[in-house]
Each structure stands twice: as structure tokens, then as C-alpha cells.
Amino acid sequence: MRLRHKPWAKEKIANYPQYVIQNPEQYNGNWKELFENNNPVHIEVGTGKGRFVTEMAKANPDINYIGIELQESVIVAALDRLIEAELPNVKLLNTNGEDLQKFFGKADVDRIYLNFSDPWPKNRHEKRRLTHESFLRIYEEILKNNGEIHFKTDNRGLFEYSLVSFSEYGLGLKYVSLDLHKSDFEGNIMTEYEEKFSAKGHPIYRCEVIYS
Ligand code: SAM
């Protein structure tokens, strides 16, 4: 994602602790306290400007969504969406997906969305890919039994890499699509990147992965 430095971003994030959770460690094992219900928790790692989590939260009020984004200057755009939408079932964490185990206990999470994750095409950056084995291990620690990853990307190289990574990790795959927008999948919510790349004619690859 192209970054424009926003020196005010840190202060703005700090001013909205009801949307960008300031000390997420305190909810490890107890997100129901924050959401004040027992609804399933779905997280998106690399949420970007937040359209996906916000629209999903509107469409599914009985699911709690948490968008996780590393970059302050990007997450402020997601924060603006939340301020406008005033949804009780979506929160943001300004943190690195590498640290998920600090914030989520075993079985805290029902589903993980990875949408248009950075492809990191160079071999020396392989460990940064959100579908690298080291991330799959982290996801295993926080997902419920039969929890799922829903993954979509326009990047064919990343998709191929990820299918192999899921499979080598012993995970089950379902609903693999090589052209999501021409498939019979219903209820797709387009992310910002998805809109941009599908407008350029890129097919969107998608799959669901099960931890059982
Ligand atoms: N999901 C959004 C979409 O589809 O429009 C954004 C896609 S953008 C290509 C990838 C985003 O993931 C960037 O905003 C980046 O900062 C974030 N990101 C990359 N690695 C991350 C990590 N380890 N933890 C949290 N966010 C990460």
C-alpha cells in the first residue's frame, strides 16, 4: 500500500480508543467482555482502509469483527469509516499480525480473513507473507477447532505459494476459485484493492482453509 506520511495519525488513533483498542492484551481470552456478547469473532489481518470489515459488520450484526493493520497512516482511513458508521461489532488493532498471540488466546477467533495480502515476491522476504508457515502456526494457536482462513488475492504467485503452504501444513481446502467474480460465490464484499485490481481486469483468486 502506498503510504503518505500522516504525522497526525498517531494522535487521532489515540483519541478514539473505543474503535482502535489501545491495550488489546487485556482482552486476551476475553473479547466477549469488550463486545458485551458471545458472538463469533472474525479478524482480518492487513485490513488496510477497512472497507471489508466495516461492510461485513453491517451485513452480519451477529458477528464481531476485528481489523488488524500495521500502518498508522492506513488504519486512520479505517477509523474514519468506523466513526461514520458507528457499528458496535467492529474494532481495530494497530499492530503486527506477528503478535496475534499476545492479543488472542486459544480458540478466541472463529475465522481469519486475509485479503490482498502483500505478496512479498522476493524469496528473501518469504517469511513476511501472511501465509508463510510461521503465520499458519500463529493462526493455529488462536483459532477454534474447525476455524477457517478465507483468503483472496489478485496475485497469482502468492496464491500458488499459499496453496502449497496450506497443503504442506496439512490444512484442508475448500471452494478454491480462480476467478471469484465469475464464480457463483454469493455475498462477496469487495475490498479497496479488489476493486482496483478487478477494474484492471485481474481475476481474483480465492479459497477457504480449514483447521480441523
Ligand atoms: N486488505 C486490504 C484490501 O484488500 O484493500 C489492504 C491490502 S494491502 C495490499 C495489505 C495491507 O496489509 C497493508 O495495509 C499492510 O500495511 C498490511 N500488512 C502487511 N503485513 C502486515 C502484518 N504483518 N500485520 C498487519 N498488517 C499488515
Side-chain angles (χ1 to χ4, degrees):
M1 179 159 299
R2 190 178 305 154
L3 291 181
R4 199 174 309 136
H5 182 57
K6 296 175 182 164
W8 44 266
K10 191 185 276 296
E11 191 181 341
K12 179 157 185 180
I13 289 166
N15 284 339
Y16 288 93
Q18 67 275 44
Y19 295 126
V20 188
I21 306 307
Q22 300 296 310
N23 293 303
E25 297 89 347
Q26 67 185 300
Y27 297 109
N28 187 323
N30 200 17
W31 286 91
K32 56 175 96 60
E33 185 188 304
L34 179 70
F35 286 107
E36 299 179 338
N37 60 49
N38 284 321
N39 292 341
V41 171
H42 293 187
I43 69 174
E44 183 188 16
V45 186
T47 208
K49 294 181 179 173
R51 181 201 284 174
F52 183 80
V53 275
T54 312
E55 294 304 314
M56 290 293 275
K58 283 183 198 163
N60 302 288
D62 293 338
I63 296 175
N64 298 321
Y65 291 89
I66 302 175
I68 292 155
E69 171 55 51
L70 190 57
Q71 306 285 350
E72 284 169 358
S73 48
V74 177
I75 205 171
V76 283
L79 173 57
D80 280 338
R81 283 186 180 275
L82 292 202
I83 293 168
E84 169 128 13
E86 290 189 46
L87 296 161
N89 61 327
V90 53
K91 306 288 179 198
L92 300 170
L93 304 188
N94 183 204
T95 187
N96 192 325
E98 284 176 5
D99 296 328
L100 288 176
Q101 284 164 278
K102 292 184 189 162
F103 314 124
F104 299 98
K106 183 74 196 151
D108 266 354
V109 177
D110 295 79
R111 184 178 295 172
I112 297 174
Y113 287 100
L114 301 175
N115 292 321
F116 299 83
S117 307
D118 293 327
W120 295 109
K122 293 191 175 126
N123 283 343
R124 66 189 156 91
H125 292 144
E126 183 192 348
K127 285 191 173 167
R128 297 184 191 176
R129 297 176 196 153
L130 293 181
T131 53
H132 183 267
E133 180 196 353
S134 56
F135 278 101
L136 300 185
R137 199 171 303 123
I138 293 170
Y139 305 150
E140 184 167 28
E141 290 305 315
I142 64 170
L143 274 171
K144 290 207 168 110
N145 195 25
N146 292 321
E148 298 183 352
I149 301 174
H150 290 195
F151 174 55
K152 55 182 175 174
T153 179
D154 68 306
N155 189 294
R156 184 177 166 141
L158 180 67
F159 194 66
E160 289 174 354
Y161 169 87
S162 303
L163 291 182
V164 173
S165 184
F166 298 141
S167 158
E168 286 184 349
Y169 201 81
L171 302 172
L173 283 171
K174 57 178 185 174
Y175 305 124
V176 178
S177 172
L178 300 180
D179 196 343
L180 174 64
H181 295 179
K182 292 196 181 131
S183 75
D184 55 9
F185 182 79
E186 288 176 10
N188 185 46
I189 302 267
M190 286 232 259
T191 77
E192 284 89 350
Y193 267 67
E194 184 170 357
E195 186 166 86
K196 184 166 135 191
F197 289 115
S198 59
K200 288 184 183 173
H202 295 202
I204 305 303
Y205 308 100
R206 181 181 182 279
C207 66
E208 298 181 8
V209 182
I210 314 143
Y211 281 78
S212 52

